[in-house]
Amino acid sequence: MMKNFLTLISLSLLSIFISEQVHGQRKSFNVPPQVCYASGKVERAAIPPSPEIMDALKSATVNKSDIVVTYSSNFPEEAKQAFEYAVSIWETIIESTVPIYVDATWKSLGETTLGSCSPNQDYFYANFENAPHPNIYYPVALAEKLSKTEITGKNVPDIYANFNSDADWYFSTDMNTPDSQYDFTTVVMHEMAHGLGFFGFFFVDGTIGNYGYYDYGDASTFDLLVIKNNGDRLLDTTLFPNQSTALKNALTSNALYNSSPTAKTDGGGYKPTLYAPSTWDDGSSVYHLNENTYPSSNANSLMTPFIGKAEAIHNPGPISAGIMADIGWKHLYINFDKLKDIEAVKPLAFNVYLNSEFELDSSSLFVVYSTDNFQNEIDSIPLLADTTETLFKTELVPPIETGSIQYYISAGDVKNRTFRLPAEAPKDLYTITIGPDTEKPVITHNPIPFFLLTGDSLEITANIDDNLGIDTVFVQYTINDVSQTPFALKNKTGTIYSGLFSFDPAQLNDGDIITYNITAKDASVSNNKTVIPYKFNYSFKAEQVYDPVEKYIHMFDFSTTDFVLTDFDIYTPTGFTDGGLQSPHPYPSPDASGEEYNFSTILKHPVILKENGTMTFDEVVLVEPSESYADFGDSEFWDYVIVEGSKDNGKTWLQLINGYDSRANANWLSAYNLSLVNQVSGAIGSSDMFKTREINLTENGNFSAGDTILFRFRLYSDPFAHGWGWAIDNLRIQVAVSSELTALSSEKIGAYPNPFTNQLQIQIETTKPVSEIQADIFNIYGQKVKTFRFENITGNINESVSLGDLSDGIYLLTFKENGKNISSQKIIKTSK
């Protein structure tokens, strides 16, 4: 089992690597949604969208973003129209290439609440590509905008918004709101800002101020901008330790501000004043503007905590729009590949790509450098525009012969904002070393677990980096211990190198073993070299994909080559009476936030689907159960098992049913929970826990009759908590369970020994004459491989039949009396 577990870890590391690179670190939070209160007062105001927004709305200019709203079934049509109008305003303000999905609910929220809203708190991300600040959490819609990557998709809302069905609403968008009603467009505008990131993790518990909720210290992009009137940041733990009275006093000081440069530039030169009443108010404190500073008639009053009757504000105002810009909705992207070390002095060429959503300030574009770690010697050279619109260049002649130069890129825009790369410079810096190089390349590679022989080539990839630069990369490999011609890996993008194994897949056979290693040499004078693995080679097995069949059956009483067994195995665990297809027992969890494991096995026999064809198997599922209210796909649906199919030889997989866990059976759930210690269940599966599952293979619409598909059984393990795992037995695909019924008459008929080697004894005992008994033997694909006939039988027959030409495996022996089925039994041929 150890080899399977190691392969499993290598597969899991691949998914972790991809997830970390693209999506960064994900966390869930449980923060009260931000609330918009009804003031109860008549506060007549009419603040329309800006002329620029109005022109865009009137001219049907292409929006800067796409906000897609899903409404609850009881959401009034006239409310939907006002909602869409508010959305169209935000679509002209914020920019994103990724659609933003909103779930809008219409329900009773109490007498004083008009609406509440928050980002999807299961999907906050830090340290993703283009994240403006390290270790700061961004709501998923903002993370998608900055990384330019769809992370969660249309089936997972980015924003949850609720609106009070009991409020007296004005749904028209003309801003002529009566004194007795609340303007619905205004409240939608307000709540959408919270969902888009006017939101964070500060809270007060008694006399203690905190941020982060579950993991103290986690902060949102909005939290990063919260300051005292003297400029002290509330995230500065030297001044305001987390979980301290000092932080609580600041949060309830009536003197909190937002340090947004854009808000200050566009809002008259003053720091925005935040709502920080002396009594902490969950859902209002910090994440609103101050009501007294920005009353209903003020252009910046949209984001105050209270909305009055007759108050129509269809414009976030320069301050709120500025804050939204600086939490990330208006960004300056700096793309630059840090320079490699050099062994001798030569000019250093800097090519920096700048993409800004505000106009660049050409006088504030620099490479800032030092030769003493920014202690005393600091200098800079300007970046100058190239012929390409976004490319800026400069050149530096090193001021030293040997040693190191530290530097960063600095760029500013017309809103007095400065962006740096690295983001935390000069605390974090790039370094160029000048002089002889002794550093070896660094290779990161996820070992290949197996190779399906489908006729496709096999690509190998590795992440290879070096301080000076890579000269050559190549792969050495063997097939069944026979050395093959090495082949090169070429640079694909960035530090990713890839190439194709040069063997012809048609020449490989099922079970062939391929071993390999990767060598990288750098571009230094001494050609520093790294080989991985250092002592032993990686290895994987060629796995044949067999010809399609219409049915398949396996009882797992012995091992077989029918499955890819890198993660799963076939054996009889303690507590079971016979063999089964087993996941690792217990299966591990990564025990690190943002990471995951996937354990899987693939049936190598594609199956041609029939209309409403079924798969049945017996199973025990002892995996971490979800929260009782969670559905498959929700973040609270923790570990699960799932059966999937592929129509393209394993390139893509679609589910046959939703994933499920120990909650699928009361006995499983009880056993799992009774043995739970520190999030790990000690429950162990046994034969008496088996339950039968039946799956209609065409029911969910992912597959149709006539499709030829591979099947995969997969166990997913999230970052924390785990249990015993999954056991599968008696697998039947498009084979009726009734085909294994025992004798249907009083006649005694059967075969022995079982298992057998070459000879099988057929025994028939009759009490009356029988004109004909036919014995048929079928393989697991339902193909008839042998037929024997016994005619004019009177009394008993005990006849040996030779089956030495059959390959080892499971067969079905059936008997017919005068053409009528009377019995069947499973027989096993083995060479042992």
Side-chain angles (χ1 to χ4, degrees):
M1 291 300 291
M2 181 56 71
K3 69 176 181 67
N4 291 344
F5 178 71
L6 291 175
T7 304
L8 156 71
I9 294 299
S10 69
L11 278 169
S12 302
L13 287 175
L14 175 61
S15 66
I16 292 167
F17 173 77
I18 294 172
S19 176
E20 290 294 319
Q21 292 296 309
V22 177
H23 300 159
Q25 297 167 312
R26 169 188 155 194
K27 279 192 179 180
S28 297
F29 295 88
N30 187 21
V31 183
Q34 295 303 304
V35 175
C36 180
Y37 289 115
S39 73
K41 304 175 184 177
V42 176
E43 301 182 61
R44 176 162 293 282
I47 301 174
S50 68
E52 294 79 12
I53 293 175
M54 290 301 298
D55 289 343
L57 293 174
K58 290 176 182 178
S59 62
T61 301
V62 176
N63 293 333
K64 298 176 181 178
S65 58
D66 180 21
I67 300 175
V68 181
V69 186
T70 299
Y71 299 96
S72 63
S73 59
N74 62 336
F75 217 95
E77 281 302 318
E78 53 186 348
K80 292 180 184 179
Q81 294 174 17
F83 202 117
E84 293 296 332
Y85 178 70
V87 160
S88 69
I89 296 174
W90 276 118
E91 287 175 331
T92 67
I93 298 172
I94 62 171
E95 300 185 34
S96 180
T97 59
V98 181
I100 300 165
Y101 297 98
V102 181
D103 192 330
T105 302
W106 189 257
K107 62 181 182 181
S108 178
L109 297 176
E111 186 176 343
T112 61
T113 300
L114 296 174
S116 66
C117 188
S118 77
N120 187 331
Q121 295 190 41
D122 293 325
Y123 296 93
F124 272 84
Y125 290 88
N127 302 320
F128 50 87
E129 186 176 1
N130 298 326
H133 300 280
N135 305 317
I136 294 295
Y137 281 87
Y138 294 76
V140 61
L142 188 47
E144 290 179 330
K145 174 263 187 332
L146 290 164
S147 66
K148 302 180 181 180
T149 303
E150 177 73 85
I151 297 175
T152 54
K154 64 182 180 180
N155 294 324
V156 178
D158 301 321
I159 296 170
Y160 288 102
N162 305 295
F163 298 90
N164 195 346
S165 58
D166 299 328
D168 193 357
W169 292 113
Y170 183 69
F171 294 118
S172 176
T173 60
D174 59 9
M175 294 187 295
N176 294 320
T177 312
D179 291 351
S180 60
Q181 292 181 308
Y182 292 95
D183 188 76
F184 189 68
T185 299
T186 299
V187 177
V188 175
M189 288 281 296
H190 177 107
E191 296 302 344
M192 282 296 297
H194 290 310
L196 291 165
F198 218 96
F199 187 90
F201 309 138
F202 284 118
F203 68 102
V204 169
D205 185 5
T207 61
I208 303 299
N210 315 260
Y211 53 92
Y213 282 76
Y214 294 139
D215 293 332
Y216 290 106
D218 292 335
S220 76
T221 177
F222 189 102
D223 297 334
L224 190 64
L225 299 175
V226 179
I227 60 174
K228 290 281 289 178
N229 56 354
N230 62 357
D232 291 342
R233 292 189 181 276
L234 264 62
L235 295 186
D236 185 344
T237 54
T238 64
L239 301 172
F240 308 103
N242 200 353
Q243 299 179 273
S244 70
T245 301
L247 182 57
K248 182 265 182 182
N249 291 339
L251 291 170
T252 55
S253 63
N254 271 308
L256 284 187
Y257 300 83
N258 191 288
S259 63
S260 164
T262 304
K264 185 176 179 181
T265 299
D266 294 348
Y270 299 101
K271 298 188 297 288
T273 308
L274 299 178
Y275 180 64
S278 56
T279 299
W280 175 264
D281 186 354
D282 274 335
S284 289
S285 288
V286 179
Y287 305 108
H288 288 88
L289 299 181
N290 187 279
E291 189 81 31
N292 294 328
T293 309
Y294 312 105
S296 60
S297 58
N298 189 283
N300 296 296
S301 60
L302 176 69
M303 293 311 296
T304 59
F306 300 95
I307 298 293
K309 296 177 180 179
E311 187 176 4
I313 309 166
H314 297 182
N315 189 331
I319 285 179
S320 294
I323 292 173
M324 295 292 285
D326 290 340
I327 64 175
W329 286 108
K330 297 286 187 180
H331 191 51
L332 194 163
Y333 297 88
I334 306 175
N335 292 305
F336 168 73
D337 292 330
K338 67 178 182 178
L339 301 184
K340 299 292 186 180
D341 293 344
I342 54 177
E343 294 189 287
V345 172
K346 64 179 181 180
L348 302 171
F350 292 83
N351 296 303
V352 181
Y353 289 88
L354 303 175
N355 287 275
S356 180
E357 291 168 339
F358 285 131
E359 182 183 346
L360 284 170
D361 177 1
S362 60
S363 66
S364 65
L365 313 178
F366 295 99
V367 174
V368 185
Y369 67 94
S370 171
T371 57
D372 66 353
N373 287 301
F374 284 78
Q375 297 300 308
N376 299 300
E377 300 294 331
I378 302 175
D379 207 341
S380 64
I381 48 175
L383 285 163
L384 303 176
D386 191 62
T387 52
T388 303
E389 183 179 356
T390 60
L391 176 60
F392 294 79
K393 293 184 174 182
T394 194
E395 191 174 88
L396 172 65
V397 177
I400 55 176
E401 295 292 327
T402 60
S404 63
I405 300 172
Q406 304 82 42
Y407 70 96
Y408 64 88
I409 311 298
S410 181
D413 61 26
V414 296
K415 301 299 183 182
N416 294 314
R417 304 189 305 173
T418 298
F419 294 80
R420 294 172 176 175
L421 195 69
E424 295 298 293
K427 180 167 43 175
D428 295 329
L429 298 164
Y430 294 131
T431 299
I432 300 170
T433 299
I434 305 171
D437 177 52
T438 59
E439 292 188 32
K440 295 181 179 181
V442 176
I443 307 175
T444 304
H445 170 65
N446 300 293
I448 298 168
F450 58 85
F451 177 39
L452 287 179
L453 299 177
T454 62
D456 295 327
S457 298
L458 176 60
E459 183 180 28
I460 177 173
T461 62
N463 190 319
I464 306 174
D465 202 2
D466 184 73
N467 63 304
L468 198 72
I470 297 298
D471 179 61
T472 55
V473 181
F474 58 92
V475 173
Q476 296 173 297
Y477 72 105
T478 69
I479 301 177
N480 296 330
D481 295 325
V482 177
S483 295
Q484 308 294 313
T485 303
F487 63 95
L489 298 186
K490 301 296 185 182
N491 184 249
K492 190 174 184 179
T493 179
T495 58
I496 302 299
Y497 287 73
S498 70
L500 297 176
F501 276 90
S502 53
F503 51 64
D504 181 354
Q507 295 176 343
L508 290 177
N509 297 308
D510 190 42
D512 285 350
I513 301 296
I514 296 93
T515 66
Y516 70 98
N517 61 37
I518 303 172
T519 299
K521 295 181 179 180
D522 71 12
S524 69
V525 172
S526 56
N527 261 170
N528 299 307
K529 180 175 74 173
T530 298
V531 180
I532 63 166
Y534 175 63
K535 290 186 177 180
F536 304 101
N537 288 333
Y538 298 120
S539 69
F540 61 91
K541 185 186 293 186
E543 303 278 5
Q544 181 68 52
V545 174
Y546 302 124
D547 292 336
V549 297
E550 292 187 350
K551 59 182 69 174
Y552 181 84
I553 184 170
H554 206 303
M555 301 300 144
F556 302 110
D557 291 320
F558 59 90
S559 191
T560 177
T561 60
D562 288 357
F563 290 81
V564 176
L565 297 176
T566 52
D567 298 346
F568 281 57
D569 209 346
I570 296 173
Y571 66 100
T572 305
T574 301
F576 287 78
T577 57
D578 58 4
L581 186 60
Q582 311 288 341
S583 76
H585 298 316
Y587 67 91
S589 52
D591 294 327
S593 180
E595 300 182 5
E596 60 188 29
Y597 288 157
N598 283 283
F599 317 121
S600 65
T601 181
I602 297 172
L603 174 62
K604 292 155 58 177
H605 294 279
V607 177
I608 303 169
L609 297 190
K610 300 176 182 178
E611 187 65 42
N612 293 317
T614 60
M615 170 191 290
T616 64
F617 52 88
D618 300 326
E619 65 178 340
V620 178
V621 180
L622 294 176
V623 304
E624 181 191 11
S626 68
E627 299 297 334
S628 58
Y629 54 82
D631 295 322
F632 177 66
D634 294 344
S635 61
E636 292 88 357
F637 202 96
W638 312 120
D639 298 350
Y640 60 83
V641 299
I642 191 168
V643 184
E644 299 164 312
S646 173
K647 294 184 283 190
D648 55 9
N649 286 323
K651 295 183 181 68
T652 58
W653 295 91
L654 301 173
Q655 65 193 57
L656 288 153
I657 53 170
N658 287 340
Y660 54 96
D661 55 30
S662 294
R663 288 190 176 275
N665 179 269
N667 291 335
W668 298 341
L669 181 63
S670 176
Y672 187 97
N673 288 333
L674 284 174
S675 303
L676 198 60
V677 178
N678 295 328
Q679 297 192 76
V680 175
S681 174
I684 298 175
S686 58
S687 292
D688 59 2
M689 289 184 176
F690 270 125
K691 299 297 177 185
T692 301
R693 179 168 295 276
E694 180 173 316
I695 301 171
N696 186 311
L697 301 176
T698 59
E699 186 174 46
N700 71 358
N702 284 335
F703 303 98
S704 303
D707 287 344
T708 300
I709 69 171
L710 289 172
F711 290 99
R712 180 171 75 172
F713 300 84
R714 179 168 63 91
L715 189 159
Y716 168 83
S717 176
D718 72 1
F720 305 103
H722 59 269
W724 179 79
W726 195 12
I728 297 169
D729 201 1
N730 302 325
L731 173 65
R732 301 174 179 86
I733 302 174
Q734 298 187 153
V735 175
V737 177
S738 61
S739 66
E740 285 195 49
L741 292 175
T742 56
L744 300 177
S745 72
S746 61
E747 308 299 333
K748 294 182 179 180
I749 187 167
Y752 70 93
N754 195 12
F756 67 96
T757 52
N758 295 321
Q759 299 293 318
L760 184 69
Q761 294 294 128
I762 294 180
Q763 184 179 46
I764 303 172
E765 298 179 14
T766 67
T767 58
K768 59 183 179 180
V770 178
S771 60
E772 180 185 83
I773 292 180
Q774 178 176 316
D776 296 315
I777 299 177
F778 298 86
N779 64 19
I780 59 175
Y781 313 118
Q783 300 166 326
K784 187 187 296 185
V785 294
K786 293 285 182 181
T787 294
F788 304 96
R789 288 185 177 87
F790 307 93
E791 298 179 345
N792 300 318
I793 303 166
T794 301
N796 300 334
I797 291 179
N798 195 332
E799 184 168 327
S800 177
V801 296
S802 178
L803 298 175
D805 58 336
L806 296 182
S807 58
D808 291 356
I810 298 176
Y811 296 88
L812 190 66
L813 172 62
T814 67
F815 293 94
K816 294 180 180 179
E817 177 186 334
N818 299 325
K820 179 181 179 182
N821 290 321
I822 56 173
S823 74
S824 64
Q825 72 178 91
K826 176 179 66 177
I827 58 174
I828 300 171
K829 182 178 184 300
T830 177
S831 57
K832 297 179 181 180

